[in-house]
């Protein structure tokens, strides 16, 4: 079955960067978009962008442009999301989610808690 | 503040029906058929339960149904069961980005 397994929790200082990984199994990694979504405490979910693992093409939400980079390593079926210049309001649970049908997310990772604190 | 508005909580007794609303704008919910709903139990990964307004993925009970009218989508859970107690989130394609609701905690009394 489809599984997305994310890397563990991170604690970062303001101004630092974080890179979260998402290892896919149970399907052809290069055949589906991978999205990244975050949820800050007490906030709703926020779409950050997607990467197509076959081409490496990306599309980022305007809010994160310039600070986020999504990459992939197809040889290990893993997608990555790096967020730079971290601020306290970047503290959130970050999810990877497989895109399906061009319009929804049919499998999700378990989430990675990123805490930004001095 | 979330782009889509959901009630923070909903509740019902076992066997009853509960409907959760998700209100957006003509730029998201009202403009596309691409509304989806997700269920999340504490400590678990989110699970897709409805896509394209009213379609159910394989394995999702037909107690879960979705609909849309104008800028508001709705998720109805019929015949409530204890295991339905969870957080529910709506999402809509918005022409490039996707937007989400703030989530509704469903309590089975």
């Amino acid at each position: 079955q489809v599984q997305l397994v994310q890397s563990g929790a991170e604690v970062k200082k303001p101004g630092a960067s974080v890179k979260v990984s998402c290892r896919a199994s149970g399907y052809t990694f290069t055949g589906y978009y991978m999205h990244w979504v975050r949820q800050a405490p007490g906030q709703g979910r926020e779409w950050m962008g997607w990467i197509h693992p076959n081409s490496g093409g990306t599309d980022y939400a305007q809010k994160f442009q310039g600070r986020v980079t999504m990459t992939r390593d197809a040889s290990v079926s893993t997608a990555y999301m790096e967020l730079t210049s971290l601020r306290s309001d970047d503290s959130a649970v970050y999810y990877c989610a497989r895109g399906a049908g061009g319009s929804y997310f049919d499998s999700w990772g378990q989430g990675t808690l990123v805490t930004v604190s001095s | 503040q979330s782009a889509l508005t959901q009630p923070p909580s909903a509740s019902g007794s076992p066997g009853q029906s509960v409907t959760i609303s998700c209100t957006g704008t003509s730029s998201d919910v009202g403009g596309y058929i691409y509304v989806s709903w997700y269920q999340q139990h504490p400590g678990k990964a989110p699970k897709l339960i409805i896509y394209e307004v009213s379609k159910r993925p394989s394995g999702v009970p037909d107690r879960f149904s979705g609909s849309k009218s104008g800028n508001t989508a709705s998720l109805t859970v019929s015949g409530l069961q204890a295991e339905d107690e969870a957080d529910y989130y709506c999402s809509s394609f918005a022409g490039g980005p996707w937007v989400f609701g703030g989530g509704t905690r469903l309590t089975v009394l």
Side-chain angles (χ1 to χ4, degrees):
Chain A
Q1 75 281 20
V2 176
Q3 270 198 308
L4 302 176
V5 178
Q6 298 183 223
S7 49
E10 303 259 15
V11 179
K12 296 292 183 181
K13 294 195 180 303
S17 299
V18 69
K19 191 170 186 177
V20 179
S21 67
C22 171
R23 179 170 50 85
S25 61
Y27 72 99
T28 302
F29 177 67
T30 52
Y32 293 81
Y33 288 84
M34 190 70 78
H35 296 254
W36 290 88
V37 174
R38 77 177 188 180
Q39 182 165 20
Q43 305 293 315
R45 296 196 173 176
E46 191 170 29
W47 178 78
M48 300 180 69
W50 56 250
I51 181 168
H52 197 289
N54 189 38
S55 64
T58 57
D59 183 29
Y60 303 141
Q62 190 169 12
K63 174 177 179 175
F64 299 102
Q65 284 182 4
R67 283 209 303 145
V68 70
T69 303
M70 297 178 188
T71 57
R72 89 295 188 209
D73 183 344
S75 69
V76 290
S77 299
T78 300
Y80 303 91
M81 186 284 301
E82 183 173 25
L83 190 62
T84 62
S85 302
L86 289 170
R87 307 184 289 256
S88 58
D89 62 359
D90 290 318
S91 295
V93 177
Y94 290 76
Y95 295 94
C96 59
R98 190 178 82 161
S103 67
Y104 56 94
F105 315 105
D106 67 348
S107 291
W108 293 67
Q110 83 276 18
T112 296
L113 177 63
V114 175
T115 302
V116 183
S117 174
S118 55
Chain B
Q1 190 167 355
S2 300
L4 305 180
T5 301
Q6 296 181 236
S9 63
S11 63
S13 299
Q16 288 187 331
S17 293
V18 170
T19 296
I20 298 170
S21 62
C22 170
T23 301
T25 70
S26 58
S27 296
D28 38 64
V29 174
Y32 302 94
I33 65 166
Y34 303 127
V35 176
S36 51
W37 290 88
Y38 304 87
Q39 176 192 63
Q40 188 171 22
H41 289 102
K44 300 288 190 180
K47 176 186 175 184
L48 174 69
I49 55 172
I50 295 287
Y51 67 99
E52 292 176 6
V53 175
S54 60
K55 297 179 181 178
R56 276 187 313 275
S58 173
V60 173
D62 59 7
R63 302 186 294 102
F64 293 90
S65 61
S67 62
K68 190 185 82 161
S69 177
N71 296 337
T72 298
S74 298
L75 171 72
T76 298
V77 186
S78 305
L80 271 175
Q81 298 183 3
E83 63 257 35
D84 298 333
E85 186 161 293
D87 292 329
Y88 292 84
Y89 294 87
C90 62
S91 176
S92 175
F93 181 65
W98 277 257
V99 291
F100 289 87
T104 298
R105 175 149 296 177
L106 176 59
T107 301
V108 181
L109 302 170

